Amino acid sequence: MAPLAYRPRMVAVGGGYPILVDSKLIGGIGISGGTYQQDQDACVAALEKIGFQLPA
């Protein structure tokens, strides 16, 4: 996430995950309500549940 910290008008916080198809950004998912790790884990679980392959 470090490169996002230098983007104007953008706040980089945990709990989100980009959605990539064929290395192209097509969207993203964000979850809030738990710790950073809980939110991140929920994003990964949701994307995997609907069939996206995530990098290891």
Side-chain angles (χ1 to χ4, degrees), residues 29-56:
I29 182 173
I31 296 178
S32 178
T35 65
Y36 158 78
Q37 192 61 57
Q38 290 168 333
D39 294 346
Q40 192 75 17
D41 292 345
C43 287
V44 169
L47 290 173
E48 288 176 341
K49 182 72 173 178
I50 59 174
F52 284 97
Q53 298 290 323
L54 303 178

Side-chain angles (χ1 to χ4, degrees), residues 7-20:
R7 305 282 298 185
R9 299 175 31 166
M10 181 180 282
V11 178
V13 295
Y17 209 92
I19 300 173
L20 304 170

